[in-house]
Structures are given as C-alpha cells and as structure tokens.
Amino acid sequence: MLDLNKTAVDPKLVEAGTWWTVRIDSNGRVVGDHIGPELGPEHDGVAVMRIAPTGTSFDRAMEEERDRLYASGEEKLTDQQQQALMGRALACSVVRDWRNIAMNGERLEWSQENAARVLSMPEQQDLREYCYAAASNRKAVRQRQIRDDEGN
C-alpha cells in the first residue's frame, strides 16, 4: 500500500527553502550537504545557501526569461544564453539566501541581483548545477523526513 504521508512536503519549506553547505571538493567541483530548515552555531563561517525546491515558480521563471530573449529577436538560444537563462531563473525562484560566499577574495552579500549575476556567469556552471541538484532534492522538504531527522 502506498502511504501518501511519506511523500507530503512542508509548504513553508517549499516556499522558504532549506540550508545547504557549499564547498569545493578536491577535484574542484562545487559540492555540499543538506543542513535543514535552520542553521546552528556550528555553521558560523561556513559557506551556505538557502535553496527552495524547483517547481512551478522555477518553470515560470525559465519561461519568462526565455520569452524575454525571444522578444529581443533571438531565434535560437546558444548554450551560453541557455546557461545564463537558467542562472537567472534559479536566482529568482530557487536560491533564497547565502552566507559566507566570496568572489575574488571579496565577500559577496546576498541579493537576488548578485545571485542572478553570479549564477548566469558561464564559468559558474558547477555552482548552477549544484543549486539545481539541491533544488531537485524533494527529500529536503518532506515533512516525515524532517520529523525523523529531528528525532520526533
């Protein structure tokens, strides 16, 4: 029997997102781990991002960005345009916050504009892919999983 309670998501977390660590592994790839809905003192100084799951808002953002490019006269999107489009859509619909993120040694404060700029850079493909993969992880916002993780 399929118990649908096992797939129920927490609507607040779907909107707000959950925290994920972000780091560069020994191969130079962007990786991280799911933390949960709240940060603890052990995360002070750790690079983290609050990421909401993909869904209709992400799909809508992709559509709006694509329409904007086509309206400007583009007939076919290049790979670079498609990556920039995805980065802007992630910034306005999935990435909700970040802390302890830097670029060229300078702290990069969270703003949707900064997120859109960084995530649309061609050289930030790994970060884009990490954000998309984290946003695709529904387990992070499942109510039952959250209760189990908290020991309830």
Side-chain angles (χ1 to χ4, degrees):
M1 181 178 308
L2 175 64
D3 182 356
L4 293 178
N5 287 328
K6 292 181 179 180
T7 65
V9 296
D10 183 327
K12 292 177 190 163
L13 294 181
V14 168
E15 178 61 30
T18 58
W19 290 101
W20 296 76
T21 61
V22 186
R23 65 184 181 284
I24 299 170
D25 72 7
S26 61
N27 295 317
R29 295 202 38 105
V30 176
V31 298
D33 300 298
H34 182 247
I35 297 170
E38 302 297 328
L39 292 175
E42 68 274 17
H43 299 108
D44 288 349
V46 175
V48 293
M49 298 178 88
R50 183 181 282 275
I51 300 175
T54 56
T56 55
S57 64
F58 176 73
D59 295 340
R60 189 176 308 114
M62 286 288 287
E63 201 172 292
E64 288 170 1
E65 288 293 329
R66 193 175 293 117
D67 289 348
R68 187 182 59 76
L69 282 171
Y70 287 140
S72 70
E74 296 291 335
E75 292 184 20
K76 184 177 179 187
L77 300 181
T78 65
D79 288 346
Q80 188 169 344
Q81 287 172 314
Q82 184 68 27
Q83 289 174 2
L85 182 152
M86 183 177 185
R88 288 189 301 273
L90 286 167
C92 72
S93 66
V94 169
V95 178
R96 300 285 197 250
D97 195 358
W98 66 40
R99 298 185 187 161
N100 303 310
I101 301 291
M103 183 170 268
N104 300 321
E106 303 246 349
R107 181 180 290 271
L108 189 59
E109 295 299 323
W110 160 256
S111 72
Q112 197 173 58
E113 295 78 23
N114 279 344
R117 183 173 55 83
V118 170
L119 290 169
S120 63
M121 292 176 170
E123 62 272 21
Q124 294 302 324
Q125 181 174 350
D126 279 357
L127 181 60
R128 250 190 326 277
E129 289 175 3
Y130 174 77
C131 290
Y132 185 77
S136 298
N137 184 340
R138 292 282 183 200
K139 184 177 180 184
V141 294
R142 292 209 197 290
Q143 290 175 337
R144 183 180 185 115
Q145 184 66 39
I146 293 160
R147 285 193 305 272
D148 290 350
D149 289 348
E150 293 172 348
N152 297 326

